[in-house]
Amino acid sequence: MDDADDLDDPADADDADDAADLSWETLDSAVDYACPGFDVRRDEVRFPDGETDGFHYVDEPPAVVVLPLTPDGDVVVIDEWRQAVGRVNRGIPAGTMEPEDGDEEAGIERAAARELAEETGYEADSFERLTTVEPTNGMANAVHHHVLATGCEPTAERELDHNESISVATVPYDDLLAAVVDDGLRDGRAVTAVLWYELLRR
């Protein structure tokens, strides 16, 4: 081994220094407002220059986002009313991980199988994680685990929550990809899943 391999990369040290210079110190934290699905939390923070202030953000559990493919390669999609934007939104199954799911890959797969079955009535032969993202980390601590589900068949019973208005359809994958490109698909979770699948698997 070359002696140079034993030396730390100066760039790594610079990155660590930059992170330390930019980091905020959390002095206190409390929930200002709680509702089903998420809380609004306020942290009292100290900035790098020593000033202090409050910072509000959405505090929510990790979630799974499922890209379900049938044996023919079609995508199982959902059309769901989204009150925040006032319209029906095309997307893919997604939902919050529960404490009993556990963590790591096994927990992600359990949550993905549950959300797929409950929202669409489909079950998959196999699951594979595509990526994990923080979609809105300027205002929320949300973590989304994107999962590919293959061999999906309509063999389960749907179990929608009382506040879910969802219809289910299947579309050719290429049509869904085209909707990403021409802005026809607006759901950010679905867009992320399709693009990762396109990059990694196609």
Side-chain angles (χ1 to χ4, degrees):
M1 178 182 294
D2 193 298
D3 289 343
D5 292 336
D6 293 330
L7 301 177
D8 290 334
D9 187 341
D12 292 340
D14 291 342
D15 289 344
D17 290 342
D18 288 345
D21 291 342
L22 297 172
S23 62
W24 299 359
E25 179 185 1
T26 302
L27 305 174
D28 194 19
S29 183
V31 173
D32 269 3
Y33 175 76
C35 66
F38 66 89
D39 297 331
V40 176
R41 181 173 289 276
R42 183 187 188 276
D43 288 353
E44 184 69 19
V45 298
R46 179 180 288 119
F47 303 124
D49 64 3
E51 294 291 322
T52 61
D53 201 355
F55 180 81
H56 285 86
Y57 61 95
V58 175
D59 182 7
E60 63 183 48
V64 292
V65 182
V66 187
L67 180 63
L69 300 182
T70 69
D72 293 332
D74 292 336
V75 185
V76 182
V77 297
I78 61 174
D79 291 316
E80 182 173 7
W81 177 260
R82 291 299 189 185
Q83 181 65 23
V85 292
R87 59 177 166 77
V88 173
N89 179 81
R90 171 148 289 184
I92 54 179
T96 300
M97 294 183 68
E98 305 292 345
E100 58 268 26
D101 292 328
D103 53 15
E104 305 302 330
E105 296 300 323
I108 293 171
E109 182 173 325
R110 279 192 290 271
R114 180 184 62 251
E115 294 301 324
L116 175 64
E118 288 181 355
E119 293 191 0
T120 70
Y122 278 74
E123 294 177 300
D125 285 340
S126 63
F127 295 89
E128 180 181 352
R129 193 174 67 84
L130 291 171
T131 189
T132 296
V133 300
E134 300 169 354
T136 54
N137 60 15
M139 59 178 290
N141 64 359
V143 174
H144 291 176
H145 302 290
H146 291 256
V147 177
L148 174 67
T150 53
C152 295
E153 300 275 10
T155 53
E157 291 292 329
R158 297 175 71 201
E159 296 183 28
L160 297 179
D161 293 337
H162 75 281
N163 61 351
E164 290 180 317
S165 301
I166 295 175
S167 64
V168 181
T170 58
V171 299
Y173 171 80
D174 286 340
D175 288 357
L176 195 63
L177 177 61
V180 171
V181 174
D182 67 15
D183 294 335
L185 186 67
R186 301 295 298 276
D187 185 89
R189 296 169 301 180
V191 168
T192 299
V194 170
L195 292 180
W196 269 90
Y197 177 71
E198 185 70 14
L199 286 169
L200 295 177
R201 298 289 175 263
R202 292 266 286 178

